[in-house]
């Protein structure tokens, strides 16, 4: 089956998560080979996910862990 | 994975048997997850930290009620979500709530940013740091139901089933919300990614 771009977009998330079935995966990959638009969308979405998972993007407040364990220590000891 | 769970079960048994201070070790791998879960709901650093502390204390107090059939991490994140929602209810006015409901979950598709949009953005050499800031801002602006799924799946890396369980929704809703969240972020961040993305595909390396 020949996919149009819109169809590919609908499955981008599942494609990234590797939860599309083998046939659809193959169709999407065939489409990506010749479609720069969808390839760019896929790449940019992947980059966002890589950046999201990077610990430096969403940082914890300085001293968070220390304060948490101090509070817990108080709770345990009392 | 299996080892982690076995170790955890062992730790939990010892804590319940009286070695209470081991709770520090039990919780350590999940500190980040607890904070980020709270932050994704309350969107305020101080509130998130207070909520994270309450979550951990509550988990400590109720550890005996933890059943081994769920993962400890899922149980903990559920407590964090409840704590966050409780705080949100306190802070939020009824007016804000009704605005949010209008966003709804209608079946309208969210399409990603098409290529033409990219060309309208002035080419600035953006530092990675600015990209991170842009991502944080874009995530903060996502509608709540999308942000929470995105935080659990892509930030805290829970799987679909765990996310569904923690939020009390079905796996289909997790997938739909995650997809929309990602597409909304893609749309918002495309101008930043364009100048900083690695040239994996020819497109990125090509001058426009
Ligand atoms: Zn396409």
């Amino acid at each position: 089956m020949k996919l149009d771009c819109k169809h590919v977009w609908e499955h981008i998330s599942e494609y990234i998560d590797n939860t599309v079935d083998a046939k659809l995966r193959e169709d999407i990959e065939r489409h990506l080979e010749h479609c720069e638009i969808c390839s760019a969308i896929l790449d940019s979405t992947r980059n966002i996910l890589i950046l999201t998972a990077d610990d430096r993007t969403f940082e914890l407040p300085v001293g968070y862990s220390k304060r948490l364990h101090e509070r817990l220590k108080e709770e345990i000891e009392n | 994975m299996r080892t982690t769970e076995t170790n955890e079960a062992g730790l939990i048994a010892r804590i319940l048997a009286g070695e209470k201070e081991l709770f520090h070790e039990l919780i350590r791998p999940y500190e980040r997850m607890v904070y980020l879960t709270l932050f994704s709901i309350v969107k305020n650093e101080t509130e998130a930290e207070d909520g994270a502390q309450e979550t951990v204390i509550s988990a400590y107090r109720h550890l005996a009620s933890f059943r081994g059939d769920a993962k400890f991490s899922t149980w903990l994140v559920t407590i964090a979500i409840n704590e966050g929602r409780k705080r949100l209810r306190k802070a939020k006015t009824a007016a804000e709530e009704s605005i949010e409901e209008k966003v709804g979950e209608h079946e309208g598709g969210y399409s990603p940013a098409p290529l033409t949009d990219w060309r309208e953005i002035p080419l600035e050499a953006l530092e990675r740091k600015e990209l991170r800031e842009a991502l944080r801002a874009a995530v903060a602006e996502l509608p709540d139901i999308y942000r929470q799924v995105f935080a659990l799946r892509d930030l805290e890396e829970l799987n679909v089933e765990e996310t569904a369980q923690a939020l009390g929704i079905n796996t289909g809703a997790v997938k739909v919300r995650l997809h929309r969240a990602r597409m909304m972020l893609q749309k918002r961040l495309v101008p930043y990614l364009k100048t900083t993305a690695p040239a994996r595909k020819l497109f990125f390396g090509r001058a426009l």
Side-chain angles (χ1 to χ4, degrees):
Chain A
M1 191 182 87
K2 210 161 160 29
L3 294 180
D4 60 19
C5 293
K6 208 156 177 257
H7 199 131
V8 172
W9 300 346
E10 277 166 22
H11 294 283
I12 276 187
S13 202
E14 293 169 281
Y15 178 80
I16 289 172
D17 290 339
N18 210 357
T19 54
V20 290
D21 62 46
K23 175 74 177 71
L24 182 56
R25 181 159 203 93
E26 203 178 288
D27 289 342
I28 291 173
E29 271 158 16
R30 200 168 309 126
H31 179 99
L32 290 170
E33 272 170 27
H34 67 78
C35 181
E36 287 187 344
I37 297 174
C38 289
S39 297
I41 288 168
L42 178 67
D43 279 353
S44 56
T45 306
R46 273 199 176 125
N47 282 326
I48 288 168
L49 300 188
I50 290 165
L51 201 63
T52 298
D54 186 324
D55 285 357
R56 287 167 300 172
T57 303
F58 290 89
E59 288 178 321
L60 305 181
V62 176
Y64 160 74
S65 179
K66 190 169 168 279
R67 290 187 293 274
L68 180 69
H69 285 276
E70 276 166 6
R71 173 87 198 276
L72 183 61
K73 192 165 177 280
E74 255 173 55
E75 174 71 21
I76 291 173
E77 286 170 359
N78 293 313
Chain B
M1 205 62 176
R2 183 126 202 106
T3 328
T4 312
E5 280 167 35
T6 313
N7 288 349
E8 254 175 29
L11 266 181
I12 291 167
R14 287 172 68 188
I15 294 162
L16 292 175
E19 290 179 78
K20 294 174 179 177
E21 66 290 346
L22 287 177
F23 196 82
H24 287 283
E25 302 318 310
L26 180 65
I27 215 76
R28 220 175 283 278
Y30 305 113
E31 288 172 19
R32 183 176 164 79
M33 183 192 81
V34 169
Y35 176 83
L36 293 174
T37 300
L38 260 302
F39 189 78
S40 79
I41 298 171
V42 300
K43 296 201 282 181
N44 170 293
E45 277 197 14
T46 313
E47 273 286 300
E49 178 163 349
D50 289 351
Q53 290 191 1
E54 286 310 313
T55 299
V56 169
I57 298 297
S58 176
Y60 172 71
R61 289 181 184 159
H62 297 102
L63 187 62
S65 73
F66 168 67
R67 307 261 169 263
D69 49 356
K71 281 170 77 179
F72 178 71
S73 57
T74 312
W75 183 73
L76 187 61
V77 92
T78 307
I79 298 174
I81 289 167
N82 289 335
E83 176 66 28
R85 287 176 176 169
K86 201 170 80 191
R87 283 171 183 267
L88 206 58
R89 275 198 299 275
K90 270 189 210 160
K92 223 175 208 175
T93 67
E96 281 174 313
E97 297 243 27
S98 70
I99 289 167
E100 203 171 290
E101 273 163 26
K102 282 184 195 148
V103 177
E105 275 191 274
H106 59 89
E107 277 307 307
Y110 284 91
S111 31
L115 206 58
T116 48
D117 283 358
W118 298 34
R119 296 198 171 103
E120 293 161 9
I121 309 295
L123 286 172
E124 294 170 9
L126 284 155
E127 296 294 332
R128 253 0 230 183
K129 194 166 159 266
E130 285 172 274
L131 177 54
R132 287 180 205 286
E133 274 164 21
L135 176 55
R136 281 195 293 270
V139 170
E141 281 168 26
L142 287 174
D144 288 355
I145 59 166
Y146 299 131
R147 191 180 53 258
Q148 287 165 22
V149 169
F150 179 78
L152 293 180
R153 282 286 288 123
D154 288 339
L155 185 51
E156 299 163 35
E157 298 176 314
L158 269 64
N159 67 33
V160 172
E161 286 72 25
E162 289 161 358
T163 304
Q165 205 184 332
L167 290 170
I169 57 178
N170 63 46
T171 53
V174 170
K175 287 177 192 166
V176 170
R177 291 179 193 184
L178 181 64
H179 178 67
R180 289 179 186 170
R182 286 170 172 176
M183 291 303 102
M184 287 177 192
L185 293 175
Q186 190 271 350
K187 208 165 199 165
R188 274 291 308 274
L189 292 166
V190 131
Y192 298 94
L193 287 161
K194 190 182 178 223
T195 49
T196 51
R200 193 178 76 83
K201 284 258 162 69
L202 182 64
F203 174 81
F204 287 106
R206 199 183 66 180
L208 287 173

